[in-house]
Amino acid sequence: MLEVAGLQAHYGPSQALFDISLQVGAGQVVTLLGRNGMGKTTTISAIMGIVKPSAGSIRLEGQELAGMPSHRIANLGLGLVPEGRQIFPNLTARENLVATASNHLDQPDPWTEERVYALFPELAERTSSMGNLLSGGEQQMLAIGRALMTNPRLLILDEATEGLAPLVRAKIWQALAQIRDTGLSILVVDKNLHDLMRLADRHVVIQRGETVWQGTSAELEADVVARERFLGL
Ligand SMILES: Nc1ncnc2c1ncn2[C@@H]1O[C@H](COP(=O)(O)OP(=O)(O)OP(=O)(O)O)[C@@H](O)[C@H]1O
């Protein structure tokens, strides 16, 4: 479904990505792991076309995305839940959900407000609350719901549970498991590896802008050296 190979990216003269390769198969949950500042957000930004890749390829079901403007990439089926949630503060929860809703790919059984509220019953209680008045957890649920309402083929989450209480975090993981069960592919950046071990099929570890390890949850569990060396865990 998504194949990234030899991806490089720069911020002005400074190179942030040197050689990123990763694959997300249809219906798979894949994590992107690495210590702070190693290039996880930049990798996601390059996939989404927010940062222009300077080399390498990013293919979605065979179609090259590198060099495309980000709105076209989004229309081809990549749904982003950005770091920091980026909820529209002056729109209500409901308006946030519908503002960017679409079904460009004519997906059967598309996501609707009702389906999002069934996934996150907390949001159903808050439909007329302004975005900036929602709690961190509600904002995160809304950011996920908003991305789902674009009916993507691949959902990408950057630090989806950052700053959330354990109980709220558990709700988010539970929802992601439900989303995975609908067959949607998911690429997720998060620091809570323990929670992700159960949810994810594969893990990709990056260090200083390079992919340095890839494998399954069982392989990562068994590879104490890689965990210590690349993740400090
Ligand atoms: N807008 C920017 N301009 C210049 N350099 C940047 C910019 N954003 C990130 N960088 C640099 O690129 C490198 C990778 O950063 P990135 O944010 O992708 O890492 P990360 O793995 O997502 O880290 P974190 O977990 O802290 O978010 C770092 O050296 C960072 O300083």
Side-chain angles (χ1 to χ4, degrees):
M1 128 104 17
L2 181 76
E3 277 183 70
V4 175
L7 180 64
Q8 299 187 22
H10 292 72
Y11 290 106
S14 136
Q15 187 159 5
L17 301 185
F18 292 84
D19 186 9
I20 300 287
S21 296
L22 64 93
Q23 292 98 36
V24 184
Q28 276 191 341
V29 178
V30 175
T31 74
L32 189 56
L33 305 170
R35 297 180 199 243
N36 286 346
M38 291 300 173
K40 303 181 296 294
T41 297
T42 306
T43 299
I44 286 178
S45 301
I47 293 171
M48 293 302 301
I50 298 162
V51 167
K52 201 172 169 317
S54 26
S57 75
I58 304 165
R59 292 210 162 87
L60 182 68
E61 291 189 346
Q63 183 168 12
E64 184 57 67
L65 304 183
M68 270 189 200
S70 54
H71 67 273
R72 271 198 68 204
I73 293 176
N75 289 352
L76 286 172
L78 262 53
L80 177 66
V81 181
E83 191 171 19
R85 294 143 202 160
Q86 298 179 25
I87 291 303
F88 306 119
N90 302 322
L91 297 185
T92 64
R94 182 177 176 277
E95 287 165 345
N96 264 278
L97 276 185
V98 298
T100 52
S102 61
N103 188 7
H104 287 285
L105 303 169
D106 283 327
Q107 306 265 45
D109 196 16
W111 283 90
T112 58
E113 272 182 78
E114 290 66 35
R115 272 184 79 191
V116 171
Y117 297 146
L119 185 66
F120 296 120
E122 290 85 349
L123 287 184
E125 314 278 311
R126 304 286 269 144
T127 52
S128 354
S129 300
M130 299 307 265
N132 59 352
L133 297 181
L134 300 175
S135 70
E138 289 164 347
Q139 287 194 9
Q140 189 62 60
M141 293 171 191
L142 188 55
I144 295 171
R146 182 177 60 182
L148 289 174
M149 293 277 286
T150 68
N151 289 289
R153 288 192 272 189
L154 171 68
L155 185 67
I156 302 182
L157 300 107
D158 195 356
E159 304 278 6
T161 63
E162 194 165 36
L164 300 181
L167 207 67
V168 184
R169 227 163 47 208
K171 280 188 191 167
I172 301 285
W173 295 133
Q174 220 170 34
L176 277 194
Q178 279 176 261
I179 294 167
R180 175 199 55 197
D181 292 344
T182 69
L184 194 61
S185 308
I186 301 176
L187 177 63
V188 53
V189 172
D190 207 277
K191 297 202 174 70
N192 296 288
L193 182 61
H194 183 69
D195 301 338
L196 288 169
M197 288 290 230
R198 266 169 292 156
L199 185 73
D201 300 290
R202 294 183 57 76
H203 307 271
V204 176
V205 181
I206 66 176
Q207 176 163 270
R208 285 190 281 280
E210 274 185 52
T211 301
V212 289
W213 192 95
Q214 303 204 38
T216 63
S217 287
E219 284 163 349
L220 186 55
E221 185 83 61
D223 196 339
V224 181
V225 175
R227 274 191 293 143
E228 264 179 24
R229 184 159 160 218
F230 302 129
L231 304 169
L233 296 167

